């Protein structure tokens, strides 16, 4: 129902824009950044060949490896340990105001000449939170009882997620501010899109690898089955 409602809203609003919005033909259009798709990719290739851009791309492609597992797997492991998905979803509600306020606060610190300083300062705290998330997953089955989980457990999870959001947005806003600052105004759209795409890729590939490695790196024991290692999915099912 949620997806259907917003799908309908998007369809109606975009259709209204298409029907009712008229272009101002009297104004002469400004010079386009590129003439076509071939020129755009030539321009992107020339940008990415620059030594500083290449170094920066390597940085943001590998910077998130250290906390990819904590980000991608923690929620799944909590559900696996018995935390109801509905409760975890409800914990996301208090995060919404925080996610709105954080960029407003952080942008004050990223508006200066060195926006990446905020990125560097937030990184060790986010790495430490990865260890805290690992402890949280280990602690979860120990506090579980017949009625579910105590209130203080959810308070700890909520606080952990809130601290994680602070570090996450500190790094995210800083990298966006830096991309905006270094992009050449003459080709700003192309330049920023390239850097933002590389930044998004730097967050997605480590998470994918982390999820893929969960099973091979998880140690399993079989209770009541002799000479079974449960190392593979087939063995665990048997």
């Amino acid at each position: 129902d949620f997806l259907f409602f917003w799908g309908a809203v998007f369809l109606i609003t975009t259709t209204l824009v298409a029907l009712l919005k008229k272009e101002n033909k009297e104004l002469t259009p400004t010079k386009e950044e590129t003439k076509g798709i071939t020129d755009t990719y030539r321009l992107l290739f020339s940008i990415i060949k620059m030594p500083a851009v290449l170094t920066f791309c390597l940085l943001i492609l590998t910077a998130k490896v250290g906390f990819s597992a904590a980000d991608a797997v923690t929620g799944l492991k909590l559900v696996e340990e018995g935390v109801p998905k509905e409760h975890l979803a409800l914990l996301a509600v208090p995060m919404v105001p925080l996610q709105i306020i954080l960029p407003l606060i952080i942008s004050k610190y990223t508006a200066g000449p060195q926006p990446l300083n905020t990125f560097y300062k937030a990184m060790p705290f986010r790495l430490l939170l990865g260890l805290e998330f690992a402890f949280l997953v280990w602690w979860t089955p120990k506090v579980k009882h017949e009625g579910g989980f105590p209130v203080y457990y959810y308070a700890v999870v909520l606080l952990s997620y809130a601290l994680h959001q602070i570090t996450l947005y500190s790094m995210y806003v800083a990298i966006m501010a830096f991309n905006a600052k270094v992009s050449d105004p003459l080709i700003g759209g192309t330049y920023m899109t390239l850097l933002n795409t590389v930044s998004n890729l730097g967050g997605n590939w480590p998470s994918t690898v982390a999820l893929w490695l969960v099973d091979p790196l998880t140690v399993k024991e079989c209770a009541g089955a002799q000479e079974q290692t449960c190392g593979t999915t087939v063995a665990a099912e048997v």
Side-chain angles (χ1 to χ4, degrees):
D1 290 344
F2 175 83
L3 292 174
F4 181 81
F5 172 77
W6 285 110
V9 169
F10 284 132
L11 281 172
I12 292 166
T13 50
T14 49
T15 304
L16 288 173
V17 169
L19 294 174
L20 303 178
K21 179 75 176 84
K22 303 298 179 186
E23 297 294 338
N24 190 349
K25 294 179 181 178
E26 294 177 6
L27 294 173
T28 54
T30 54
K31 186 173 182 272
E32 291 184 6
E33 291 180 355
T34 52
K35 293 179 181 178
I37 190 165
T38 309
D39 289 339
T40 303
Y41 278 100
R42 275 205 201 101
L43 181 61
L44 287 171
F45 189 65
S46 65
I47 291 169
I48 209 163
K49 281 197 301 183
M50 295 162 62
V53 175
L54 194 59
T55 304
F56 179 62
C57 286
L58 288 171
L59 166 73
I60 55 180
L61 276 172
T62 55
K64 297 178 183 177
V65 171
F67 32 77
S68 57
D71 289 4
V73 183
T74 301
L76 298 174
K77 283 293 175 185
L78 292 180
V79 172
E80 191 179 284
E81 294 295 348
V83 181
K85 284 182 283 188
E86 298 81 6
H87 292 179
L88 283 179
L90 280 173
L91 291 178
V93 176
M95 295 294 110
V96 175
L98 187 66
Q99 289 167 350
I100 295 169
I101 295 165
L102 278 174
L104 297 173
I105 298 170
I106 296 163
S107 60
K108 294 177 182 177
Y109 300 96
T110 57
Q114 296 178 316
L116 277 186
N117 281 353
T118 307
F119 182 93
Y120 297 141
K121 288 174 183 175
M123 181 174 274
F125 293 103
R126 194 168 172 187
L127 288 168
L128 286 171
L129 277 170
L131 293 174
E132 197 270 337
F133 278 174
F135 170 77
L136 191 64
V137 171
W138 171 83
W139 183 54
T140 298
K142 299 186 183 301
V143 294
K144 186 180 179 182
H145 52 74
E146 289 182 6
F149 292 88
V151 175
Y152 67 82
Y153 170 78
Y154 289 110
V156 171
V157 173
L158 187 64
L159 180 62
S160 301
Y161 275 20
L163 292 172
H164 177 259
Q165 288 295 314
I166 293 169
T167 57
L168 187 150
Y169 272 84
S170 295
M171 295 179 71
Y172 177 76
V173 174
I175 211 84
M176 292 297 113
F178 181 79
N179 290 349
K181 192 172 185 64
V182 300
S183 297
D184 188 340
L186 295 175
I187 49 170
T190 306
Y191 212 126
M192 272 204 71
T193 302
L194 171 67
L195 295 178
N196 289 346
T197 301
V198 174
S199 180
N200 290 334
L201 184 62
N204 290 334
W205 81 260
S207 296
T208 305
V209 173
L211 288 168
W212 180 74
L213 286 172
V214 168
D215 272 350
L217 294 178
T218 299
V219 178
K220 298 173 185 174
E221 295 177 359
C222 295
Q226 294 180 350
E227 298 180 0
Q228 291 288 340
T229 60
C230 288
T232 63
T233 307
V234 176
E237 286 175 359
V238 171

